[in-house]
Amino acid sequence: MKNIIKDLYNINTKSLLKYTDKVYKVKSDDNNEYCLKYCDDNLNTKVIEKMDALNLSDSFVMPLKTCIRSIRAKKDDKYFYITKWIEDDLIESKDLKIKFYLNKIANMHVKSLYTINVSSTFFSELTMQIEESIQECYQKYESTIYNIERKEYKSPFEWYFIYNYKNIIESLDKSKLYLNKLKEITKNKSSIRQVITHQNFSYDHVFISKNKIIGNDKIKLSSPIFDLLHIFNYINYGNIDLSGMINEYLNIFKLEEYEIYWMLSLLYIVEYIKFNNDEFQNINHLMKLLFKYKSINEIEGLLITKK
């Protein structure tokens, strides 16, 4: 591998330290440090090049180019790329990391925004897929409550589920409400907005003191809502007040009305959890769903007022 790095990057490697199965720390003879990361074949190099052209390297750690101007390299049928090594951030606050990330993502969306035309069936197919997901959740949760109510003896979790079942149905009802709004507003719409999306939030990817974000492996061109959906689905709703942080994004990048309805129709779909015989685990899963529902209600209020 040292010879490959020398030939492709002109880096004389002193040592290679394995961090994970995919990540190695490379130290050069001149004491510079690099990150070698194995990546999938579908790494979107064209979008990464676009990020570079938009000067997004100020905030996002970009791969070094090889001597033949390629973003990634290959050895033994495995792709990899090399970036500068970013030392661990001393800032551990999750709230600060989310706010920092949302700020950088919003600015990337502003810089990379463009509009594309879509087919006449795009929105009808999209809404049909969402509707199918909603209906599937309705059916699964209705089956669950039916089976519980038939029991003569009910466990503490089952009573807890019965008591909170209305919240699950309310969430699915709201998903359907915003889906109907999306259908109405996109009847004659023939275009959507696209931006560069990161879709790879992790607290380990955010380095506030270095003003950098890493983890560009899932970069793609997409609707801006998918960066928000990713982070909403990543966090633990019981520990983070995300509704108070979303303004960090909305004050920089304004979502259009159809995007708000699109996102809310997806957010309010209640993930179906197949409960098991572990009472504590079941209650914990249900509590997370309820915390998420409460947070999405608050996020909904902010999104609608910013509309």
Side-chain angles (χ1 to χ4, degrees), residues 165-198:
Y165 177 68
K166 65 180 185 299
N167 292 318
I168 293 173
I169 298 304
E170 282 175 6
S171 185
L172 292 172
D173 287 346
K174 282 199 169 186
S175 176
K176 201 165 185 178
L177 168 70
Y178 284 109
L179 177 62
N180 289 334
K181 288 178 180 287
L182 177 63
K183 286 180 181 178
E184 184 64 30
I185 203 172
T186 57
K187 273 182 179 178
N188 301 310
K189 192 167 180 57
S190 59
S191 64
I192 62 169
R193 300 196 306 171
Q194 285 204 323
V195 297
I196 296 175
T197 57
H198 189 253

Side-chain angles (χ1 to χ4, degrees), residues 129-144:
Q129 289 173 359
I130 297 173
E131 193 159 22
E132 287 173 356
S133 297
I134 296 170
Q135 195 56 41
E136 183 181 2
C137 281
Y138 269 127
Q139 291 170 355
K140 286 181 176 179
Y141 278 110
E142 284 170 358
S143 175
T144 300

Side-chain angles (χ1 to χ4, degrees), residues 251-264:
N251 287 336
I252 298 170
F253 188 88
K254 182 177 173 60
L255 292 174
E256 292 192 352
E257 193 170 11
Y258 84 94
E259 291 166 335
I260 292 173
Y261 295 155
W262 185 1
M263 184 164 69
L264 287 171

Side-chain angles (χ1 to χ4, degrees), residues 142-177:
E142 284 170 358
S143 175
T144 300
I145 193 71
Y146 175 77
N147 291 331
I148 289 175
E149 288 180 333
R150 290 182 63 194
K151 291 184 176 181
E152 185 175 347
Y153 168 78
K154 298 175 181 62
S155 69
F157 159 71
E158 289 168 336
W159 282 116
Y160 187 54
F161 182 85
I162 290 171
Y163 180 76
N164 288 289
Y165 177 68
K166 65 180 185 299
N167 292 318
I168 293 173
I169 298 304
E170 282 175 6
S171 185
L172 292 172
D173 287 346
K174 282 199 169 186
S175 176
K176 201 165 185 178
L177 168 70

Side-chain angles (χ1 to χ4, degrees), residues 227-251:
D227 262 332
L228 295 177
L229 286 169
H230 175 81
I231 194 170
F232 292 159
N233 290 324
Y234 178 92
I235 67 161
N236 184 335
Y237 282 89
N239 297 330
I240 300 291
D241 176 22
L242 191 58
S243 60
M245 299 179 193
I246 194 64
N247 273 325
E248 192 73 32
Y249 177 91
L250 297 175
N251 287 336

Side-chain angles (χ1 to χ4, degrees), residues 71-83:
I71 283 174
R72 65 182 179 185
K74 190 176 183 181
K75 180 182 183 296
D76 299 333
D77 293 327
K78 291 183 178 180
Y79 289 98
F80 68 90
Y81 61 84
I82 290 179
T83 67

Side-chain angles (χ1 to χ4, degrees), residues 106-121:
N107 279 292
M108 179 169 71
H109 289 179
V110 169
K111 285 187 175 183
S112 61
L113 177 65
Y114 67 104
T115 301
I116 62 167
N117 292 326
V118 293
S119 70
S120 58
T121 61

